[in-house]
Amino acid sequence: MLVKTLKTNRPSAYIAFFVSATLFFLLDIIIGTKPSLAFDHPIFSSLASFFDHHFIWSNVLLFIIGLLIAMGWNNSLSERGVFKNATIIPAFLFIILSSVFSLSSFWICTFILLFVMNKLMLCFQQERPYGLLFDSGFLIGLATIINPVCIFFFILTYVAVVVYSTINWRNFLIPIIGLFTPFLFAWTYGFYFDSLADLSDYYLYYIQWSPPTIEYSLPFLIWTTLVLLLFFFAIRELAQWLTMKSLRSRKAFYVFFAYSICAFMGFFFVQDSWNYLLLFALPFTVLTANYFLFIEKRWWYESLFILILISTVYLQLAPLF
């Protein structure tokens, strides 16, 4: 019954979404979720220190960013023709899956990458998407300043050029100009405050090979098993329906796949492997929302959705026991 309601854009679906988001926020407050922020960032270390000492405010910020990303991504998918019918499922899935992650720089980066994806999807059938490509490069550069591992997502701009637009030297040069513009701002900041050495040390040595390390537990294994099961069925469903989708929707899924590859590449160059998984949330919610929209066995998708919801709550409450 829940998924059937979320497939629509009726008021009851939005009420269910906001109620669930509020409940997960209250759950973070009860558990006392602490942020996972880097204190050695040469620009944002003071903000990291503030939110580390005021975890309630970090959870408030987490709640606001989560709502903005969920609703922004949901609206972007509808407006860019990825899904034919208006639905709240992508936003609801994002709220559920992202609730297991604490506040970190990856939340801000995901918020920025949301705008990148929106800009790139606007390149569809545009011969001269110069402004969109510059904005995409600029936003990726901004995300890279916040967390250097986001540099891998710059590949996404060129994939979008190949998928959506015409191939010419301007379309390849303009994103580079956009990418280096925030770097120029960062260099100006470092020069003015005499911290160029700190900036250089941080950005040059941040990206190092680091095999993923995640702490395993029974709640985590249950949650991961259900999520992987959903992923498997969603991939199979997409393979059956991809050729039947509209040209715009089909090309969008190619870009989502490229996004996932970029995220997968960066997964091996971060210390905080667990919170980094948040960057996979955007393409994963699209993939799984597509599955729930087209699957016909109601008893199955309702049961799977409820199980994932219960396992997510169980994973969050596990530290209390």
Side-chain angles (χ1 to χ4, degrees):
M1 186 64 183
L2 180 58
V3 177
K4 184 179 179 180
T5 301
L6 296 175
K7 284 184 177 183
T8 66
N9 60 346
R10 292 180 298 186
S12 57
Y14 285 92
I15 292 173
F17 166 73
F18 284 108
V19 168
S20 299
T22 304
L23 290 176
F24 279 116
F25 166 67
L26 295 175
L27 197 59
D28 285 335
I29 296 293
I30 294 172
I31 297 173
T33 304
K34 297 287 186 179
S36 302
L37 299 169
F39 298 101
D40 57 343
H41 198 288
I43 300 177
F44 304 108
S45 57
S46 58
L47 282 175
S49 178
F50 171 81
F51 285 114
D52 184 68
H53 290 87
H54 302 83
F55 77 92
I56 293 181
W57 285 111
S58 71
N59 287 319
V60 171
L61 178 62
L62 193 63
F63 175 68
I64 295 173
I65 295 177
L67 281 180
L68 291 175
I69 295 176
M71 293 305 302
W73 187 232
N74 195 89
N75 293 338
S76 181
L77 294 174
S78 299
E79 294 171 1
R80 306 296 166 250
V82 178
F83 296 128
K84 183 181 299 185
N85 301 321
T87 176
I88 196 69
I89 286 184
F92 200 95
L93 286 170
F94 182 87
I95 287 295
I96 294 175
L97 298 174
S98 65
S99 64
V100 300
F101 302 107
S102 59
L103 180 65
S104 66
S105 60
F106 298 116
W107 273 96
I108 308 299
C109 294
T110 302
F111 184 63
I112 295 174
L113 290 172
L114 163 64
F115 289 94
V116 173
M117 294 297 292
N118 188 53
K119 294 287 184 182
L120 294 179
M121 285 190 288
L122 284 172
C123 294
F124 178 69
Q125 292 184 341
Q126 290 199 26
E127 295 183 2
R128 299 180 179 179
Y130 302 146
L132 296 172
L133 293 176
F134 177 86
D135 292 343
S136 300
F138 180 88
L139 290 169
I140 293 173
L142 183 61
T144 302
I145 289 177
I146 297 173
N147 195 308
V149 77
C150 289
I151 191 65
F152 288 104
F153 289 95
F154 185 67
I155 303 172
L156 194 60
T157 59
Y158 292 139
V159 174
V161 169
V162 174
V163 172
Y164 282 131
S165 187
T166 57
I167 300 176
N168 59 62
W169 67 271
R170 291 184 180 88
N171 287 346
F172 286 94
L173 178 61
I174 288 175
I176 297 177
I177 298 174
L179 177 71
F180 279 97
T181 302
F183 295 168
L184 179 62
F185 294 157
W187 183 87
T188 304
Y189 170 88
F191 179 80
Y192 184 81
F193 290 100
D194 195 24
S195 58
L196 284 176
D198 295 334
L199 285 171
S200 301
D201 291 340
Y202 181 80
Y203 290 111
L204 290 177
Y205 297 102
Y206 184 91
I207 300 181
Q208 297 181 1
W209 177 263
S210 178
T213 55
I214 298 177
E215 296 183 2
Y216 297 95
S217 62
L218 179 60
F220 172 79
L221 291 175
I222 295 174
W223 182 81
T224 305
T225 301
L226 290 172
V227 169
L228 290 177
L229 184 66
L230 175 60
F231 174 75
F232 170 77
F233 284 114
I235 287 290
R236 191 182 66 173
E237 189 72 18
L238 179 63
Q240 295 175 352
W241 288 89
L242 185 60
T243 56
M244 302 176 64
K245 289 183 172 296
S246 66
L247 178 64
R248 188 172 190 178
S249 177
R250 191 162 62 249
K251 288 190 172 185
F253 274 97
Y254 295 151
V255 176
F256 299 152
F257 177 74
Y259 177 105
S260 302
I261 295 298
C262 295
F264 183 76
M265 291 168 58
F267 187 53
F268 298 93
F269 294 90
V270 292
Q271 300 294 328
D272 191 0
S273 302
W274 170 247
N275 283 298
Y276 180 84
L277 293 175
L278 176 68
L279 293 180
F280 289 94
L282 295 182
F284 187 79
T285 52
V286 180
L287 181 66
T288 52
N290 180 77
Y291 173 71
F292 284 116
L293 285 172
F294 289 99
I295 190 68
E296 296 179 355
K297 295 181 180 180
R298 181 179 172 184
W299 67 270
W300 166 249
Y301 67 68
E302 291 283 0
S303 302
L304 182 59
F305 192 87
I306 294 298
L307 285 174
I308 290 177
L309 182 61
I310 294 174
S311 65
T312 302
V313 175
Y314 178 46
L315 180 61
Q316 285 192 283
L317 292 176
L320 298 179
F321 302 101

